[in-house]
Amino acid sequence: QVQLVESGGGLVQPGGSLRLSCAASGTIFDINAMGWYRQAPGKQRELVAIIRSVSVGSANYADSVKGRFTISRDNAKNTVYLEMNSLKPEDTAVYYCNGMIRSGTYYNTYWGQGTQVTVSS
């Protein structure tokens, strides 16, 4: 089985920074894309950022976080990071890690349990 475990959430003031981490563990033969999603109360889950393994620097961001958030990955550690700067109250949400991982013949999508990010003064 594969598990994704997030860490790094918390309470931060507007304008502050946080760094989220997500480590994949278990039987892993290959990891394709990994990404971060978020879900605010009463809203649908939305993509924040995604990074692919095909080429270095192949990342995409939601318009609302471009220039403020940076996604990166450490392939040796099966870990993806989300560096969040200039945080705004509207960034408050539960952040979920997502990975397309092959632990057998096929790739499957896995989710972490989520980590709360609260931006408030």
Side-chain angles (χ1 to χ4, degrees):
Q1 259 303 352
V2 174
Q3 284 189 322
L4 300 180
V5 179
E6 302 107 333
S7 61
L11 173 64
V12 63
Q13 292 187 342
S17 298
L18 280 176
R19 189 191 194 209
L20 305 183
S21 299
C22 171
S25 63
T27 302
I28 298 173
F29 296 141
D30 187 54
I31 298 178
N32 195 338
M34 293 191 78
W36 291 93
Y37 290 71
R38 67 185 181 187
Q39 188 167 18
K43 294 188 177 181
Q44 289 187 332
R45 190 173 298 189
E46 64 175 357
L47 174 67
V48 176
I50 187 169
I51 186 166
R52 297 170 179 83
S53 66
V54 175
S55 59
V56 176
S58 177
N60 294 96
Y61 298 89
D63 288 342
S64 59
V65 307
K66 282 181 181 177
R68 300 189 297 122
F69 291 10
T70 302
I71 188 170
S72 61
R73 60 189 287 177
D74 184 332
N75 292 327
K77 296 181 178 179
N78 292 333
T79 299
V80 64
Y81 306 95
L82 186 68
E83 187 76 35
M84 305 186 293
N85 298 313
S86 302
L87 282 161
K88 304 175 181 179
E90 50 263 44
D91 295 317
T92 296
V94 178
Y95 283 70
Y96 297 91
C97 175
N98 168 282
M100 189 179 297
I101 299 170
R102 185 168 66 87
S103 62
T105 303
Y106 303 106
Y107 287 89
N108 289 298
T109 298
Y110 297 89
W111 291 91
Q113 81 285 356
T115 185
Q116 177 71 46
V117 172
T118 302
V119 184
S120 175
S121 55

